Amino acid sequence: MKLIKDTPLTLSKTTISLHWIVAVLITGLLGSGLYMENFEAFFLMSWHKSFGVLLFAFALLRVTWRIINGWPKHTNTHPEYEMILAKIIHYVLIISMLLMPISGLITSGMGGHGVDLFGLEIIPHNPNPENPQRSMPFSESWSNLGKTVHGLTANALLVALGLHIVGAIKHHVIDKDNTLTRMLGKK
């Protein structure tokens, strides 16, 4: 099967699909993470972890596809500062979509809480022998590092995602170019 790559005028179905799958997963995970943190709704944690594992798989596919396919061509000529800002934002998004699930896996796995993928155990839970209802960390320092990176990356991702959305709207409304429409699969 031959994969169809992007052209200067259109993005491939692979590029569009991976973009929107990752976008939906990231948005849902950021939302559920903020909700759990602010309202102590930790009953969502197993779902959050499972979708985080899915995000990691799709993020790896997206990065691999980006390496194979290259960066999409700009649809218009823009000031140099906009091109630099766009590149920075895209790199922050790509690094974050990998770093978020990795740091989440480290936080949970090294914290002894385990990681399941919709019931399939990926990293085992490490029960405390004195109180099996509680977890015993494999490495508290690694778990704390993962938690710190997870939180910092979430903040960077929120800012980059906001700027990415604002940029897409700017392209569509002000520049009137086809940047947004081609990511929606239109010519």
Side-chain angles (χ1 to χ4, degrees):
M1 180 177 135
K2 185 176 185 224
L3 292 174
I4 299 171
K5 292 186 172 186
D6 299 340
T7 70
L9 296 177
T10 60
L11 298 175
S12 68
K13 285 184 175 29
T14 304
T15 296
I16 294 167
S17 297
L18 288 172
H19 175 273
W20 290 109
I21 290 168
V22 168
V24 167
L25 286 169
I26 285 175
T27 304
L29 286 163
L30 282 170
S32 68
L34 290 169
Y35 183 79
M36 285 187 300
E37 187 175 306
N38 289 318
F39 297 103
E40 297 183 7
F42 299 115
F43 65 91
L44 295 172
M45 188 60 76
S46 64
W47 286 95
H48 185 79
K49 291 179 191 181
S50 291
F51 282 105
V53 171
L54 280 181
L55 170 62
F56 186 57
F58 279 107
L60 285 174
L61 284 172
R62 185 157 159 70
V63 168
T64 302
W65 179 245
R66 182 57 51 233
I67 291 168
I68 292 168
N69 193 46
W71 289 96
K73 304 291 182 250
H74 292 283
T75 61
N76 201 332
T77 55
H78 300 284
E80 190 173 346
Y81 75 90
E82 281 186 27
M83 307 271 268
I84 292 169
L85 183 60
K87 187 167 273 203
I88 290 169
I89 291 168
H90 281 107
Y91 274 108
V92 169
L93 289 170
I94 286 175
I95 291 166
S96 296
M97 74 182 179
L98 293 170
L99 203 50
M100 283 297 290
I102 290 170
S103 61
L105 288 168
I106 290 170
T107 301
S108 191
M110 292 295 104
H113 303 289
V115 177
D116 291 348
L117 175 62
F118 303 109
L120 176 66
E121 187 177 71
I122 296 173
I123 299 174
H125 173 253
N126 190 30
N128 186 325
E130 295 171 8
N131 182 357
Q133 300 294 74
R134 304 212 32 103
S135 298
M136 192 165 79
F138 289 108
S139 171
E140 199 166 332
S141 59
W142 275 100
S143 180
N144 289 337
L145 175 64
K147 185 176 183 179
T148 299
V149 170
H150 204 63
L152 292 172
T153 305
N155 291 331
L157 187 55
L158 281 167
V159 170
L161 190 57
L163 290 171
H164 184 64
I165 292 167
V166 167
I169 293 168
K170 178 207 172 277
H171 277 287
H172 192 70
V173 174
I174 295 171
D175 299 339
K176 298 191 184 318
D177 64 25
N178 71 338
T179 300
L180 181 60
T181 55
R182 74 179 179 162
M183 188 48 81
L184 294 171
K186 299 176 182 176
K187 292 184 180 187

